[in-house]
């Protein structure tokens, strides 16, 4: 008996592996691909933006997501940037800004001068915007790789290029296979993105450009790289980015700053977000005893910490997120898998 098997090395799998390992479980992570990457998590923007997301999401996303920057900061010190989110719109789309403000909170209105103070390279480009000072972001790829390193140091075993395994070898299986999971309630939401590089623009924080048809965001990364995202298409097709989407993302980036017109296109990518009908994630226990963490939709980095704590709480037979109470109330079965 080899403890807990976590299937899938996306953000859901790695965060729950961490929460189980810190509680003393013996954890194996099995990933069907040959390395970490190439999944939805690898293509994410890395925004930890619960209040902005409230524009189109339920209140639960704020409640569960507002602790995520602390979780990532505590788990991987130095990888979280806490510089807030700037939301802007061109003058012709001012009504979009009013609509966004009406649906969100925890932000302040900023004028041209304040925008220039926050982002000097955007000086004179937008008359008004919204600043969500309490939000944060990280580079998903650095975070996933750092999490793997940390988990290995904690004794977590990684198996790559692994298909179906002898599940009877494990006390518990936690399935974090994203859109690959056979679950009739799940659907795919295709997200196309690109990475640009230009020395001509510097941004300190994610910038969201509102637009009635093509809202986009730009997330700054190291070495003058910028992640530009993302389309939201009701489809689980993961084929290459379309010419239309590429044009729309590039047009929008150009509208934020014309220097993006001269940027190198470093990469384009397509990820499929796993989503339930209400676009909220679930920790589910199935008839065969497996637990799934899925449906993270556009909130994988934002909500994985809370989902991982819920799953760990379920395994320790305690209330979600109350891990120390879980250890205290450890029963015989818990002791068995912890020592397995
Ligand atoms: C363009 C884009 C931008 C995004 N931006 C953000 C953002 O800014 N902030 C945010 O919080 N979220 C964002 N998201 C959402 C986030 O990326 C997803 O919610 C998240 O990646 C889902 O994680 P997951 O671990 O469930 O799935 P995945 O990342 O897809 O991981 C599932 C893993 O399971 C593996 N697998 C499949 N089948 C098996 C099997 N049988 N055995 C073993 N392994 C298997 C797959 O290879 C994969 O590695 C974005 C998504 C996209 C596409």
């Amino acid at each position: 008996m080899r403890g807990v098997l976590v299937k899938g090395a996306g953000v859901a799998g790695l965060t729950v592996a961490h929460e189980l390992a810190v509680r003393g479980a013996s954890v194996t992570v099995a990933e069907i691909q040959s390395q970490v990457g190439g999944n939805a998590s690898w293509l994410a923007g890395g925004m930890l933006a619960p209040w902005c997301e409230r524009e189109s999401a339920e209140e639960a996303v704020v409640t569960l997501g507002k602790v995520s920057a602390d979780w990532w900061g505590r788990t991987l010190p130095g990888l979280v940037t806490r510089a807030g989110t700037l939301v802007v719109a061109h003058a012709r789309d001012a009504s979009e800004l009013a609509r966004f403000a009406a649906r969100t909170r925890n932000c302040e209105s900023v004028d041209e001068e304040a925008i220039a103070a926050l982002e000097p390279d955007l000086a004179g480009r937008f008359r008004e915007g919204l600043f969500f000072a309490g939000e944060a972001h990280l580079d998903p790829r650095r975070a996933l790789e750092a999490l793997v390193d940390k988990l290995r140091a904690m004794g977590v075993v990684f198996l790559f290029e692994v298909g179906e395994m002898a599940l009877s070898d494990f006390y518990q299986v936690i399935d974090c296979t994203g859109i690959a999971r056979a679950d009739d309630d799940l659907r795919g939401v295709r997200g196309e993105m690109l990475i640009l590089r230009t020395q001509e623009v510097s941004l300190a924080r994610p910038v969201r450009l509102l637009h009635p048809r093509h809202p986009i965001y730009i997330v700054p990364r190291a070495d003058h790289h910028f992640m530009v995202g993302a389309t939201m298409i009701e489809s689980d097709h993961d084929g290459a980015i379309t010419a239309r989407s590429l044009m729309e993302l590039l047009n929008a980036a150009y509208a934020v700053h014309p220097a993006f017109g001269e940027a190198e296109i470093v990469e384009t990518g397509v990820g499929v977000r796993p989503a339930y009908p209400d676009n909220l994630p679930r920790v589910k226990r199935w008839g065969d005893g497996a637990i799934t963490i899925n449906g993270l939709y556009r909130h994988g980095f934002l909500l994985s910490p809370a989902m991982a704590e819920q799953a760990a709480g379920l395994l320790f037979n305690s209330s979600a997120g109350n891990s120390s109470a879980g250890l205290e109330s450890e029963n015989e079965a818990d002791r068995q898998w912890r020592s397995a």
Side-chain angles (χ1 to χ4, degrees):
M1 192 76 82
R2 291 159 62 193
V4 182
L5 174 67
V6 175
K7 288 174 72 178
V11 68
L14 297 180
T15 51
V16 76
H18 184 272
E19 288 311 295
L20 295 172
V22 294
R23 288 163 171 79
S26 160
V27 182
T28 299
V29 177
E31 166 58 49
I32 203 165
Q33 300 196 69
S34 58
Q35 58 194 4
V36 172
N39 48 26
S41 304
W42 193 252
L43 296 157
M47 294 177 295
L48 305 174
W51 290 284
C52 276
E53 288 298 309
R54 182 70 176 94
E55 182 243 347
S56 59
E58 301 292 327
E59 182 63 21
V61 170
V62 178
T63 312
L64 297 170
K66 65 186 179 189
V67 296
S68 67
D70 286 345
W71 188 91
W72 286 105
R74 203 169 55 238
T75 305
L76 301 173
L79 286 196
V80 175
T81 304
R82 292 169 181 272
T85 305
L86 178 62
V87 180
V88 292
H90 286 292
R92 63 180 175 274
D93 300 323
S95 62
E96 286 298 309
L97 212 48
R99 191 187 55 78
F100 198 94
R103 296 185 57 84
T104 55
R105 64 182 193 277
N106 221 17
C107 63
E108 59 182 298
S109 294
V110 283
D111 60 12
E112 199 169 328
E113 201 181 336
I115 292 171
L118 287 166
E119 297 291 356
D121 281 3
L122 300 187
R125 299 203 52 75
F126 300 96
R127 273 187 228 144
E128 51 180 345
L130 298 167
F131 181 48
F132 293 76
E135 297 192 333
H137 69 282
L138 49 69
D139 179 337
R141 298 173 183 192
R142 289 184 63 202
L144 294 171
E145 287 176 339
L147 203 43
V148 170
D149 289 347
K150 181 172 183 191
L151 290 170
R152 282 200 164 114
M154 292 167 80
V156 172
V157 174
F158 279 84
L159 305 173
F160 287 99
E161 290 186 274
V162 170
E164 292 315 310
M165 298 187 59
L167 301 183
S168 54
D169 283 356
F170 295 92
Y171 176 77
Q172 177 69 55
V173 177
I174 303 190
D175 187 309
C176 300
T177 54
I179 197 62
R181 170 74 191 178
D183 179 341
D184 288 344
D185 290 338
L186 269 184
R187 71 183 202 284
V189 181
R190 175 179 161 95
E192 297 155 301
M193 50 76 78
L194 50 111
I195 296 182
L196 301 178
R197 180 170 55 205
T198 173
Q199 303 282 342
E200 306 299 315
V201 186
S202 293
L203 297 175
R205 56 185 59 75
V207 174
R208 293 182 182 223
L209 176 65
L210 303 185
H211 184 277
R213 282 196 312 279
H214 311 302
I216 62 136
Y217 53 80
I218 302 180
V219 187
R221 297 213 175 138
D223 304 325
H224 291 274
H225 287 70
F226 299 87
M227 185 276 192
V228 183
T231 56
M232 297 277 294
I233 299 169
E234 290 288 331
S235 165
D236 58 9
H237 174 56
D238 64 357
I241 189 170
T242 62
R244 176 196 296 269
S245 296
L246 185 58
M247 278 191 301
E248 287 168 359
L249 291 171
L250 288 172
N251 275 339
Y254 182 75
V256 171
H257 197 298
F260 282 119
E262 302 302 322
E264 287 171 53
I265 300 176
V266 175
E267 178 185 326
T268 63
V270 176
V272 179
R273 309 171 183 93
Y276 285 117
D278 58 4
N279 294 332
L280 290 173
R282 312 244 196 291
V283 175
K284 286 195 198 178
R285 193 189 277 281
W286 292 69
D288 61 1
I291 290 174
T292 55
I293 304 176
N294 217 320
L296 284 153
Y297 184 49
R298 50 183 281 156
H299 304 128
F301 285 82
L302 184 63
L303 299 184
S304 274
M307 291 301 104
E309 289 195 3
Q310 279 188 23
L314 196 60
L315 266 186
F316 277 94
N317 198 20
S318 68
S319 62
N322 191 357
S323 55
S324 56
L327 281 172
E328 280 162 20
S329 66
E330 186 179 56
N331 59 25
E332 188 50 45
D334 292 329
R335 265 193 291 281
Q336 192 185 341
W337 73 261
R338 272 163 48 75
S339 57

